[in-house]
Amino acid sequence: MSKLQITDHGPIREVRLDRPEVHNAFDPELIDLLHRTFLEIRSEVASGDSELRAVLLSGSGKSFCAGADLGYMSSIASFGETENIADADRLSGMLRAIRTCPVYVVARVHGAALGGGTGLLAACDLVIASNEAIFGFTEVRLGILPAVISPFVIERIGPSHARRLFPSGVRFDATEALRIGLVDRIVPPVQLDQAVEKELSALLTAAPQASREAKRLVETIGSALVARDEETLYGETARWIARLRASEEGQEGMQAFFEKRPARWVRAIPPLTAPPSSGEA
Ligand code: COA
């Protein structure tokens, strides 16, 4: 039985962590499975004949993810420095593969999202959480650090909240997670699937190529703003829109607008099955 369940719902691929007995804590096998899954998505989309439009990242059972597998973490000390660093690199590589996934990634968060679990959701583009979920950069309480997840988390919540929360490892509720920008929406648990479907339905009205390039645009401009290379920045945005409006999708979208009809990529979302779990919060 795989620790990762992958299900296609039409143009949406659900990637579900499936170690409910440990609240989906990730061990090296699960990290590797996640990494490979997102690399495969990259190749599939790059091949040009993929129908995939978005990924839904979720968890089986009571929680989204309780972070790194603490049993495994505690054994790392005996591996030696080289293997220890290589292990952290594998986690970082997995998070980067999610972060740079060419299609939109939505996290569906319920139960606990702690430690590395917050890194997972922070690597996604949109985070929808149950208002009963709990969060925390709990590593320091275990004597470790939210180090590998920090680029992803700090980008979302900013240094001031990280400065407040990282050193204490305090747990916080969904309202606080929403306030600091760790999650984007919170809803009662019974409305979680509906809220996810609504967001994914909205995404399916966007042109696939334009949507993927919009994701790349944010990545490129975000980095460029940090570098403050404005000439390159403005030149690049101009070339970007010029290319997209001349593309087949750009042409179809504008034509559909004037003809008052849906563009040909608009699709209805198929029903998403809820994770087959018992006692989910
Ligand atoms: N790694 C390995 N096992 C974990 C785990 C983790 N990160 N989180 C939970 N588990 C295991 C527990 O050891 C327990 O195993 P057992 O049934 O063999 O005793 C099982 O999952 C259920 O956990 P339990 O604590 O009994 O459930 P709960 O509902 O009372 O609490 C959590 C759930 C997630 C809030 C709690 O387990 C927790 O705080 N986990 C640690 C999370 C953390 O700090 N992660 C940061 C790692 S970077």
Side-chain angles (χ1 to χ4, degrees):
M1 190 70 177
S2 176
K3 295 172 182 175
L4 197 64
Q5 299 300 321
I6 298 169
T7 315
D8 279 346
H9 307 277
I12 312 294
R13 180 158 305 162
E14 182 172 8
V15 176
R16 183 161 45 84
L17 311 180
D18 198 23
R19 296 187 77 202
E21 69 283 6
V22 288
H23 293 262
N24 299 317
F26 44 72
D27 62 0
E29 187 186 345
L30 184 51
I31 291 171
D32 186 51
L33 283 168
L34 274 166
H35 196 167
R36 279 195 282 125
T37 297
F38 278 87
L39 292 182
E40 279 162 23
I41 289 169
R42 170 177 302 282
S43 307
E44 192 179 315
V45 172
S47 75
D49 58 359
S50 171
E51 291 291 311
L52 191 63
R53 305 270 283 270
V55 176
L56 172 60
L57 187 62
S58 64
S60 293
K62 290 184 179 171
S63 292
F64 174 68
C65 178
D69 187 307
L70 294 170
Y72 171 74
M73 282 282 270
S74 61
S75 68
I76 287 178
S78 61
F79 288 10
E81 192 183 351
T82 309
E83 180 49 29
N84 200 348
I85 293 170
D87 181 76
D89 275 342
R90 284 192 284 274
L91 173 59
S92 176
M94 178 270 278
L95 293 175
R96 278 182 280 137
I98 296 176
R99 171 59 195 272
T100 57
C101 176
V103 296
Y104 203 63
V105 185
V106 177
R108 176 196 184 281
V109 179
H110 70 291
L114 299 170
T118 62
L120 263 190
L121 66 86
C124 298
D125 300 307
L126 172 70
V127 184
I128 305 176
S130 154
N131 61 8
E132 293 179 4
I134 57 158
F135 302 84
F137 312 112
T138 48
E139 286 86 344
V140 291
R141 299 202 162 191
L142 303 158
I144 51 179
L145 273 182
V148 169
I149 64 169
S150 63
F152 306 92
V153 171
I154 294 174
E155 187 193 38
R156 263 199 167 257
I157 69 174
S160 67
H161 292 305
R163 195 173 297 129
R164 178 168 60 88
L165 294 165
F166 277 16
S168 73
V170 66
R171 292 177 191 213
F172 50 92
D173 64 16
T175 305
E176 175 70 350
L178 180 68
R179 190 184 74 81
I180 66 175
L182 184 62
V183 307
D184 301 302
R185 282 193 65 191
I186 57 173
V187 293
V190 290
Q191 292 172 22
L192 195 49
D193 287 322
Q194 195 186 359
V196 167
E197 286 187 17
K198 190 173 168 201
E199 296 288 351
L200 288 171
S201 297
L203 183 85
L204 293 182
T205 64
Q209 174 190 264
S211 179
R212 290 193 301 273
E213 299 230 9
K215 191 169 165 171
R216 252 183 0 103
L217 177 70
V218 175
E219 189 67 28
T220 307
I221 301 307
S223 316
L225 283 174
V226 172
R228 295 190 188 284
D229 184 356
E230 293 189 358
E231 285 311 310
T232 310
L233 195 72
Y234 297 139
E236 192 152 348
T237 55
R239 285 192 296 277
W240 218 309
I241 180 59
R243 183 160 58 81
L244 265 286
R245 68 188 162 204
S247 74
E248 196 188 323
E249 277 186 2
Q251 293 299 306
E252 157 65 7
M254 287 185 274
Q255 200 177 335
F257 173 78
F258 288 119
E259 292 173 2
K260 300 190 188 305
R261 61 169 172 81
R264 63 165 183 263
W265 55 73
V266 175
R267 302 211 19 209
I269 188 168
L272 297 178
T273 49
S277 58
S278 56
E280 180 178 316

